[in-house]
Amino acid sequence: MRERDDMTFPFSEYQRRINELRVRMAERLLDAVIISDAENILYLTDYQTTGYSFFQALVVPLEGEPFMVTRKLEESNVIHRTWVEITRPFPDTGDAIQMLITSLVEFGLAGKTIGYERNSYYFNAYHQDVFRTSFMRSRLMDCFGIVEESRICKSQYEIDVMKKAAFATKAGMQAGLDAVQAGVTENEIGGAISQAMFAAGGEIPSVMPYVTSGPRTMIGHASWEGRTVQPGEHVFIEIAGSYRKYHTAMMRTAICGELSDSMYQAQEIMKKALSELRKELRPGLTVSDVDKMVRSILHENKVGARLITRSGYSIGIAFPPSWDEGYILSLNQGQSDILKPGMTFHIIPWLWGVDGDKTCGISDTFYITEDGCGSFFDDFDQDFVIKPDTGKGRANDKTVLPIENSKNTSSKTDLKQSKKSSQKHAK
């Protein structure tokens, strides 16, 4: 391992992570592990790239120096970002799995017991089939989760980095809420969020912000599509700021007009859920305990809404296609996992189907302490943001035109038809 002082965390932090991994490897009788999950590679080495569609792996032997197998272009990320000294790159015309096998043989790991992450997004079924049929000299074992056992509880270094991500989250959310008003498009709100997040030091998140308005808030995981916000409608925003691929997330809601009784009730129920959890979360509770708390409070609502998903999930390092660590741990009924200091959760007591046609949300990202929990967003107001009804909207429809039409500025027929279509869908 090459000691350096320009990584996200001190060199000693990466040494600790590798040492903990090797302890678990010894417990599982593994001579080496092949780590292909992008989040786990970053956790262990500080390596990151957007080129993860190409195969890449960190091989950690129980004894001896770890090495990386990457596409030739990505070797520069190993050299400039990480402590890893040994690389075995393959060209674009080369065979990634053959390079992996050749490297395992070169470093004396043929015939050994080797773990690999069978459930990794980034080690696809085809590559796994080729690997297993071409490398039959070793005993191959599924070691999925062996790194995540350390990732689930964040160190103080990681909590501090997540606070930087939270700073970007808050900047983006404030800008998004400020941008909401009748007559603006979802795209304009999304643009304001993105500009503010990045200006505040945030980096590219694994998923861009979710911004929906009116009836589109009932569509799960939808985001801006050019729709114009209409008078009296609400806007649902969910964003996760990112710093060094660590994320913190937040939901908020804005209303262009008056706050109805049902939306007020929804707001107060969600705030109550977060307030109760802020007081009750502590080491020793089970995941199931937490989920039951959230659902018992939300069940009290009289506005026809439901929580149709898990009530929260672990959050931290993430690469696309998601910003969460829910595959490591999610807040669901029936799970006996115990809360421990350093765990971080995005708690989402959001309500789907208020009055049958509206979804709204207020959420927070909590971290478990030695005797309770803290919030990354204690200083950010939870109440729905109420914007004056300006009367703008359909008469000033700013729906973004399809690219092919927007280029043809002389086509008045296309422009009129596009406006009619957007008005139809807005009703």
Side-chain angles (χ1 to χ4, degrees), residues 241-403:
S242 174
Y243 184 80
R244 299 299 188 267
K245 293 301 179 185
Y246 282 81
H247 294 69
T248 59
M250 179 200 298
M251 294 176 177
R252 289 295 186 271
T253 304
I255 298 175
C256 297
E258 296 183 358
L259 178 63
S260 68
D261 288 342
S262 57
M263 287 293 274
Y264 175 75
Q265 290 180 46
Q267 169 190 278
E268 294 305 300
I269 289 168
M270 291 185 287
K271 286 170 57 181
K272 180 181 179 181
L274 289 172
S275 176
E276 289 298 313
L277 261 64
R278 183 72 172 79
K279 292 184 292 185
E280 296 294 332
L281 288 189
R282 62 190 184 279
L285 291 179
T286 68
V287 165
S288 188
D289 292 334
V290 179
D291 184 74
K292 185 177 180 180
M293 284 185 211
V294 175
R295 293 184 191 280
S296 63
I297 294 172
L298 297 186
H299 183 70
E300 299 172 6
N301 85 82
K302 308 297 183 184
V303 295
R306 294 177 290 154
L307 175 62
I308 61 172
T309 64
R310 56 194 173 173
S311 59
Y313 47 77
S314 176
I315 191 167
I317 303 174
F319 282 77
S322 181
W323 68 38
D324 66 83
E325 297 177 336
Y327 77 98
I328 302 177
L329 186 60
S330 285
L331 303 183
N332 285 315
Q333 279 293 296
Q335 287 190 239
S336 58
D337 301 79
I338 297 173
L339 301 192
K340 299 177 182 178
M343 287 184 171
T344 50
F345 296 99
H346 183 206
I347 306 295
I348 50 173
W350 64 299
L351 289 174
W352 185 86
V354 176
D355 295 334
D357 63 354
K358 291 182 281 292
T359 293
C360 56
I362 305 171
S363 72
D364 206 330
T365 298
F366 292 154
Y367 53 94
I368 307 301
T369 63
E370 293 294 334
D371 57 1
C373 77
S375 164
F376 287 101
F377 303 123
D378 266 340
D379 56 349
F380 202 95
D381 192 16
Q382 295 180 345
D383 284 347
F384 291 178
V385 172
I386 309 303
K387 293 298 185 78
D389 188 340
T390 62
K392 296 179 180 179
R394 291 182 179 88
N396 296 297
D397 197 336
K398 298 181 182 179
T399 298
V400 176
L401 301 178
I403 291 175

Side-chain angles (χ1 to χ4, degrees), residues 147-203:
V147 178
E148 285 84 348
E149 289 183 47
S150 283
R151 280 178 52 201
I152 189 63
C153 293
K154 278 65 177 178
S155 67
Q156 187 57 51
Y157 291 120
E158 292 175 285
I159 297 295
D160 290 343
V161 163
M162 290 181 71
K163 288 178 180 178
K164 294 182 179 180
F167 185 78
T169 303
K170 290 185 287 187
M173 182 61 77
Q174 189 61 60
L177 294 172
D178 289 345
V180 171
Q181 66 177 24
V184 305
T185 66
E186 295 172 350
N187 293 51
E188 290 172 298
I189 299 169
I193 293 170
S194 302
Q195 193 280 331
M197 277 200 309
F198 300 150
E203 297 164 357

Side-chain angles (χ1 to χ4, degrees), residues 2 45 58 65-68 78-79 82-87:
R2 176 167 54 104
T45 70
L58 171 71
E65 193 71 16
F67 61 91
M68 280 197 69
V78 181
I79 295 169
T82 82
W83 51 258
V84 178
E85 296 185 79
I86 303 172
T87 61

